[in-house]
Amino acid sequence: MCDNCKPTSFPDNLPSLHIMKYLFLAAATLLTAYSCRTHKSTISTLVWAEEFNNNGAPDPQKWDYAIGTGNNGWGNAESQYYTNRPENVTVSDGTLKIKALKEPYNGSEYTSARLLTKGKFAFKYGKIEVRAKLPSGGGTWPAIWMLGNNISSVGWPACGEIDIMEHKGNEPGKIHGTLHYPGHSGAHGNTNTTMISNASTEFHKYTVDWTAGTIRFYIDDELFHTVSNSSAIPFNQEFYVLLNLAMGGHFGGKIDPAFSSAVFEIDYVRVYRN
């Protein structure tokens, strides 16, 4: 049996809460084993995963935080102050919960959280899947995205940005998938959208399949945006992962005066390579 086909082992005292996640991983192992016998060139190997199975703060071996308001509201005139407080970010009942609150905090009117794997995990090419339930409320702006690992040396947008999922609470159910890079950044990103009817009431799987030739965006395995990749654009290097819930800003728009709180809930993040 090849290394990719080794069976998954399970804890003796597996909490019932997490059984479905482990069953998924077992099924993925069986599918990989089948691929080994039939189409070895198409094997996808799970290389990094965060299942959010341990209650409390997110795993510090996997996640860091952006703190504060950044430059001009993180470059987008956003209204929140990002913290690492349990009031804004916690893991419970098998999911990560990023919570935006209307509250005065260090000069801002809202708080939330922004997690990132910079310095802890990055990858070049592969498939990233994130199962999430989006917040509701005018002005909410949840995002699942990636930035080029060389951002500190070349800056943005030269580093490249892959927005796996963005959603405006002011446009419920409209999902954006976007690439930002020189010549196509900010309001001019290479983008497309699709509609789903229950983005804030049910979990959906948001996926990017990224190769040297193509970058494809999916929701629940349905393709909605395709971009040709080449050496002319900065998507041929390692990228790290970010999860955040912003408020307002150029993209999020006007915040509902009645807004008090909203939760961006993430079930898992999984990265595969062929």
Side-chain angles (χ1 to χ4, degrees):
M1 182 177 286
C2 69
D3 289 341
N4 295 326
C5 303
K6 291 178 181 177
T8 304
S9 60
F10 305 102
D12 292 333
N13 298 313
L14 180 66
S16 59
L17 176 64
H18 309 310
I19 286 176
M20 291 306 296
K21 289 186 179 182
Y22 281 103
L23 288 177
F24 168 85
L25 295 176
T29 299
L30 292 174
L31 288 173
T32 301
Y34 176 77
S35 298
C36 288
R37 294 192 300 271
T38 57
H39 302 289
K40 188 171 182 178
S41 63
T42 64
I43 295 171
S44 291
T45 303
L46 184 67
V47 296
W48 189 89
E50 172 61 281
E51 301 294 330
F52 300 114
N53 285 335
N54 297 317
N55 291 346
D59 185 348
Q61 299 301 312
K62 295 180 176 179
W63 302 100
D64 201 353
Y65 304 89
I67 302 293
T69 57
N71 179 30
N72 182 33
W74 303 99
N76 300 295
E78 300 162 28
S79 297
Q80 79 289 334
Y81 191 104
Y82 284 134
T83 85
N84 59 359
R85 305 179 305 161
E87 292 90 341
N88 295 117
V89 56
T90 190
V91 177
S92 64
D93 301 325
T95 64
L96 171 70
K97 298 169 179 66
I98 299 176
K99 187 172 185 178
L101 297 169
K102 183 176 183 179
E103 60 174 340
Y105 191 89
N106 284 359
S108 296
E109 296 181 10
Y110 304 87
T111 59
S112 188
R114 174 165 159 173
L115 283 69
L116 62 160
T117 66
K118 186 179 182 183
K120 298 175 185 291
F121 173 75
F123 69 104
K124 175 183 174 181
Y125 307 144
K127 181 172 68 173
I128 177 169
E129 296 180 350
V130 181
R131 184 171 183 264
K133 184 166 63 175
L134 309 185
S136 61
T140 58
W141 173 10
I144 302 165
W145 52 305
M146 299 192 292
L147 284 171
N149 222 19
N150 63 347
I151 188 171
S152 297
S153 58
V154 304
W156 184 93
C159 64
E161 176 178 329
I162 303 174
D163 295 331
I164 303 166
M165 183 288 305
E166 289 182 290
H167 178 258
K168 301 180 185 182
N170 286 313
E171 297 179 352
K174 187 176 183 179
I175 306 300
H176 300 249
T178 309
L179 297 181
H180 295 277
Y181 51 97
H184 290 274
S185 63
H188 305 288
N190 189 333
T191 188
N192 202 1
T193 63
T194 190
M195 295 294 298
I196 55 178
S197 61
N198 49 11
S200 297
T201 57
E202 295 185 14
F203 284 90
H204 293 271
K205 184 172 67 175
Y206 302 93
T207 303
V208 159
D209 194 350
W210 167 33
T211 72
T214 311
I215 303 172
R216 296 183 174 91
F217 295 75
Y218 300 82
I219 297 179
D220 297 329
D221 300 321
E222 293 292 326
L223 179 68
F224 75 97
H225 187 34
T226 302
V227 180
S228 295
N229 195 12
S230 73
S231 59
I233 55 178
F235 301 102
N236 301 283
Q237 58 165 322
E238 290 191 336
F239 276 62
Y240 62 90
V241 181
L242 301 97
L243 305 170
N244 70 280
L245 173 51
M247 293 297 300
H250 300 314
F251 187 85
K254 184 178 179 180
I255 301 173
D256 183 350
F259 176 88
S260 59
S261 66
V263 177
F264 180 23
E265 194 168 357
I266 299 97
D267 184 24
Y268 62 72
V269 182
R270 295 171 182 160
V271 177
Y272 301 83
R273 285 201 188 108
N274 291 334

